[in-house]
Amino acid sequence: VLIDHSCFKKKSSRCYELPVLYPDYGVGGFVGLTRIRFNAFVDYSVGNTPDFKQTQRSFGGEVILDLRLLRAFNMNLKLQFVQRWDNTEQQQPFFLQHYR
């Protein structure tokens, strides 16, 4: 097996997360908001082959809500904004997701 060393990829990513508020607010015993966080990030990557070169750069931010459900389960809701620096097509800028 021959390895083509002319193909390579470089990548770098930086992020910074900080807490914004600790409201410790609840609605009955159903949902409690314990913390609000903000995360800012920048991503950069370069991929090269003998016939093709691609550079991808993006930046964005996230607002993360730490929730407590039924006083027993922890859950996070995240609202994220992502934008490419060299944007050539329209993107969906915001999306909402949950994770544990």
Side-chain angles (χ1 to χ4, degrees):
V1 175
L2 296 175
I3 298 174
D4 185 5
H5 293 287
S6 63
C7 302
F8 68 92
K9 183 172 184 173
K10 296 179 186 177
K11 64 180 181 175
S12 178
S13 180
R14 300 289 180 256
C15 72
Y16 185 75
E17 184 176 311
L18 66 142
V20 178
L21 288 173
Y22 288 92
D24 201 17
Y25 179 75
V27 178
F30 298 108
V31 177
L33 178 62
T34 58
R35 180 172 55 178
I36 300 173
R37 298 179 279 159
F38 179 74
N39 182 26
F41 58 88
V42 176
D43 298 318
Y44 175 79
S45 69
V46 176
N48 282 339
T49 66
D51 301 327
F52 184 71
K53 179 179 179 180
Q54 184 175 13
T55 302
Q56 295 180 343
R57 295 174 289 195
S58 64
F59 65 94
E62 301 169 336
V63 175
I64 305 164
L65 305 175
D66 295 340
L67 303 174
R68 190 158 185 86
L69 302 175
L70 302 173
R71 296 183 182 176
F73 305 103
N74 292 324
M75 186 175 107
N76 300 324
L77 287 176
K78 175 168 56 171
L79 177 65
Q80 185 178 55
F81 170 78
V82 180
Q83 182 66 45
R84 288 184 177 173
W85 277 341
D86 43 0
N87 190 7
T88 57
E89 58 189 52
Q90 187 68 23
Q91 290 182 268
Q92 180 180 354
F94 288 97
F95 66 92
L96 180 68
Q97 76 183 69
H98 70 86
Y99 62 96
R100 291 179 144 258

